[in-house]
Amino acid sequence: MKDFLKTHTSLIVIVVAALLIELTTGVIYYNSQDIIQRTTVQVMERENSALILSIRNKLTEVEVVLDNMSWIVTDDLIQPDSLIKETYQIVENNPMILGSSIACIPQLFPRRGYWFEPYSIRRPDGTIETMLLGSSKHDYTKSEFFSVPLATGQSHWCEPYLDNEGAKAVVTTYGVPVRNSRGRIVAVVEADLSLEWLKEVINQDKAYPSIQRFLVTGHNNLLAGEDNDLFRQSLGYLKADIDKTGYVTMEDEKGHGKLLFYTPVGGKTEWVLLNVLDSRDIFDELNHVRKNLLLMVMAGLLLTGFIVWRSKRNLERLRQVNAEKERIRSELRVASQIQQSMLPHSHLQQDGVDVFGSLVPAREVGGDLFDYFIRDQKLFFCIGDVSGKGTPSAILMAGTHSFFRAFSAHDDNPARIMHHINESACQGNDTNMFVTLFIGVLDLHSGQLRYCDAGHDKPILLREKVKVKSEKFPTGQSTGLQTLDCNPHLPVGIFDDVRYDVQETFLSDGSTLFLYTDGLTEAMNAERKQFGLQRVHDVLESYAERQLNPKDILDAMTQALHRFVKNAEQSDDLTMMAITLKMKDER
């Protein structure tokens, strides 16, 4: 046995090394698969949020109209003819509504008969037709849109149905109870929505070509989407807690893996949006790489055996180690390029504002982020620092950046944006990582700055001298530095029930807001001394009177930092951003 070990020591080492390589390959494969799946989940959640918002906006339009009309109808209950006019006006003034009726309880108006249901419908040519639908053949008192609001006293979205009498189409109806002056429910005002617009909405902006979407009611009735085997199979996989957003894995009848994402529409509906994604869309390329990698490993083993037989074992082993290192460095360089591409251009200059930002990661990939864009004459910006370093921080940085873009696209309240980002970041955060984050919204016309700070370093404001007092600057301002007053809030990602407050101040024309991460103040030289906040203030004060633009300010700060740390290794990501307000001439 000893002779065998002596004779074949190198071969045994190679075999063990081969097994370790295969094990490493498997670990990398499954870790990559997990990262890809988590990224896919984030993409689908953002896509679904935008889609749900589009649906909710349209439903809310109808709900607001009907809720308001229920009060108007109350005043017209003594005049049946007025109710007919009300249905016409509802349809005429609201293009979203296909038809509208006011269904009264039996014999509310004895002279008009047992049933009284004025109904107005928009025909395909754009004309509006008004009719009375109530009859023994069309007993609306048995319909869901009438019976449920009458029984519960609450507004209600009913299940989809084919309306053969009025709309002559498949519709869903929203009904609101109407009470008389004594508080008794005597009618239901309702609006019919065609399901055609839902079909258009759910088929737009798909992140993956294989996605199939279905919109279902709380009773699993299909509102939009194709009624096929995949839909019926998906219903069997839905969890009991579909009032929350989530996803499950499933297999179709051919054994292909699927990811089923479910998201409640919310509001006054019990609707649920289903997205079914074919796993091959996201994992096929990875599987192809794995197969190629396995083939390469097998070829490498044969080559290594041949080299061992030719007494070149050590040289080949060294070559493989160097190749593996280079592959890892190459992958990290690609990851760094991808991360940098997510950030905005370093310089934004246009009427009203001049912005410059920079991010220097301590490693190939980092956890710092900054972003800005202009919408509705307002500058939306953020800066943040993820706890930890390396790949995990980079992943959380990417998610936070995406959340900021998604939520600030439809909201201009920094506190609400911070709240939504925090809720999203807390979901599935098993690593307990967190992000210090500052979000600001600057009105480029008025100079009003609304902001919210989640545990981040307080920005520094460089104000120019204000000669005339005003409501915004009642005491006037002198040129100098001012640390922005920030309420203490927990960082993002710790607890999902944190309440964030919005604060505001005003920037005068020419004022500059300087933002940074702790990679600036905690940068250390060879003697382990930190750069510190005081040196930051000294640099800013020395350049305040010179009225430098944002790029020059960041260059000056970078030069001062390099002079301080000299050749010491960078220990943390360094991110800075400067924003100078340049109001337009109002003359």
Side-chain angles (χ1 to χ4, degrees), residues 12-26 297 301:
I12 293 173
V13 170
I14 291 175
V15 171
V16 172
L19 293 175
L20 290 175
I21 291 174
E22 181 62 20
L23 177 61
T24 303
T25 302
V297 170
L301 290 176

Side-chain angles (χ1 to χ4, degrees), residues 358-405:
S358 69
L359 190 157
V360 181
R363 301 181 181 179
E364 287 83 355
V365 291
D368 277 10
L369 71 139
F370 74 92
D371 197 9
Y372 51 79
F373 66 93
I374 293 177
R375 176 173 66 83
D376 299 333
Q377 294 301 310
K378 294 178 181 178
L379 175 69
F380 293 73
F381 61 94
C382 72
I383 188 170
D385 185 0
V386 180
S387 62
K389 296 179 180 65
T391 302
S393 297
I395 294 174
L396 183 54
M397 169 268 185
T400 305
H401 178 271
S402 299
F403 293 147
F404 171 74
R405 279 281 176 164

